[in-house]
Amino acid sequence: MAERTPLDRIKQVLQTGAQDIREGFVVMLRHSLALLGLSVMVFLLAFAARPELRTTVSEKTMAWLQSQLPGVAFGGEDFLSRSLASDLKGLNTDQIAVAHWLSRRYKIAAEPLAALITEADTLGANTQLPPNLILAIMAVESSFNPYAMGTKGAMGLMQIVPSELKSSLSNFGGKLATYDPLTNMRLGTRQLQAMVQDSGSLETGIQRYGEQSGQIDPKNYLVRVVTEYLQLEKVSRQEPVPELLGIAPHTS
């Protein structure tokens, strides 16, 4: 047997040391995983046994998620924290009458409707469209269901089509912002305003809006919208737009 040189002895020591370190690491890793598994089990048992802990975790998780989402809407408004219902005391007498009428007709609480009526009034002033016409389109399109889905991909209160509004929706967090009632109203009203301006006619603009939302018969859609609009004008004691008076029966 050949005599081992000092270099051979050093190599053997290093190899033995490396093997010991490797085996020690494996043992330590196994113990760490076992400890982690035990900790997770204890946490899950505590989580199941304490409802208040589940509530706290849920609230903190939701708060963190909301802090990560883009929440800036029109005018710097934070649509994640705003209320989607309003006290009827903030409405005038005619608006309160509309809120109660729509509440009875569509079986919806008056307070969420109050927020929509207030927004319709603001949008009407900004676009020169009758506020009750905006409400009438929502009534026909979705029956005031903010989660309504159309047959051609239209979504939300005014049945806007996300694929046609990608750029606008990107400012509010993307496609899911379509389900935010006020964002949906604002984008839908913008579309209606553009269609009225492009066609030069309120009547034609309404029909085009119905076509883009997936309505099969634009003329029938126009009659339905105007009928609802005239009823709302009557409830709120407003004077209807003359252009729309001959389209549907004007209830006296």
Side-chain angles (χ1 to χ4, degrees), residues 3-230:
E3 184 179 353
R4 298 174 63 185
T5 66
L7 182 59
D8 292 334
R9 288 195 291 270
I10 292 174
K11 287 175 61 177
Q12 183 178 10
V13 170
L14 291 176
Q15 289 175 349
T16 303
Q19 184 176 356
D20 290 342
I21 292 173
R22 184 168 59 252
E23 291 176 352
F25 177 78
V26 171
V27 171
M28 184 173 63
L29 181 61
R30 287 175 179 171
H31 285 299
S32 298
L33 290 175
L35 182 60
L36 177 62
L38 181 61
S39 300
V40 170
M41 184 178 296
V42 171
F43 175 79
L44 291 176
L45 289 173
F47 195 72
R50 296 180 57 187
E52 71 278 7
L53 179 61
R54 293 200 302 269
T55 301
T56 300
V57 171
S58 176
E59 290 175 349
K60 290 186 178 296
T61 302
M62 182 58 68
W64 181 82
L65 287 172
Q66 289 185 342
S67 71
Q68 307 304 308
L69 292 174
V72 178
F74 289 73
E77 179 185 7
D78 182 358
F79 69 77
L80 288 172
S81 60
R82 72 181 176 214
S83 173
L84 297 181
S86 299
D87 194 323
L88 268 64
K89 294 179 181 179
L91 304 181
N92 61 40
T93 303
D94 295 336
Q95 290 173 325
I96 291 174
V98 169
H100 286 306
W101 187 84
L102 290 173
S103 177
R104 291 191 298 270
R105 181 172 173 82
Y106 294 98
K107 304 297 187 293
I108 299 173
E111 288 76 12
L113 287 169
L116 303 182
I117 290 169
T118 300
E119 183 66 21
D121 191 62
T122 300
L123 292 172
N126 292 337
T127 60
Q128 304 305 307
L129 294 171
N132 283 334
L133 177 60
I134 298 171
L135 294 172
I137 287 179
M138 283 192 287
V140 173
E141 289 285 359
S142 67
S143 297
F144 295 98
N145 176 7
Y147 309 116
M149 280 288 294
T151 56
K152 294 186 177 180
M155 300 165 63
L157 281 177
M158 294 187 72
Q159 289 293 278
I160 62 177
V161 181
S163 61
E164 297 179 3
L165 296 168
K166 288 182 179 179
S167 178
S168 297
L169 285 170
S170 65
N171 296 325
F172 309 105
K175 181 180 179 180
L176 291 181
T178 306
Y179 293 119
D180 172 58
L182 301 191
T183 298
N184 194 290
M185 282 183 69
R186 290 162 178 174
L187 295 179
T189 302
R190 278 184 180 179
Q191 278 196 312
L192 177 60
Q193 180 191 31
M195 291 173 181
V196 171
Q197 291 175 342
D198 290 345
S199 66
S201 163
L202 189 57
E203 177 181 341
T204 305
I206 295 172
Q207 287 183 304
R208 288 184 180 179
Y209 190 92
E211 289 175 343
Q212 67 86 31
S213 71
Q215 298 292 330
I216 298 175
D217 185 345
K219 290 184 178 179
N220 179 60
Y221 172 79
L222 174 65
V223 172
R224 292 168 59 205
V225 167
V226 173
T227 300
E228 188 83 8
Y229 162 70
L230 293 177

Side-chain angles (χ1 to χ4, degrees), residues 214-251:
Q215 298 292 330
I216 298 175
D217 185 345
K219 290 184 178 179
N220 179 60
Y221 172 79
L222 174 65
V223 172
R224 292 168 59 205
V225 167
V226 173
T227 300
E228 188 83 8
Y229 162 70
L230 293 177
Q231 184 62 60
L232 289 171
E233 293 286 77
K234 177 188 174 183
V235 171
S236 60
R237 299 180 295 181
Q238 301 296 313
E239 191 66 32
V241 176
E243 183 183 346
L244 300 179
L245 284 177
I247 296 172
H250 184 196
T251 54

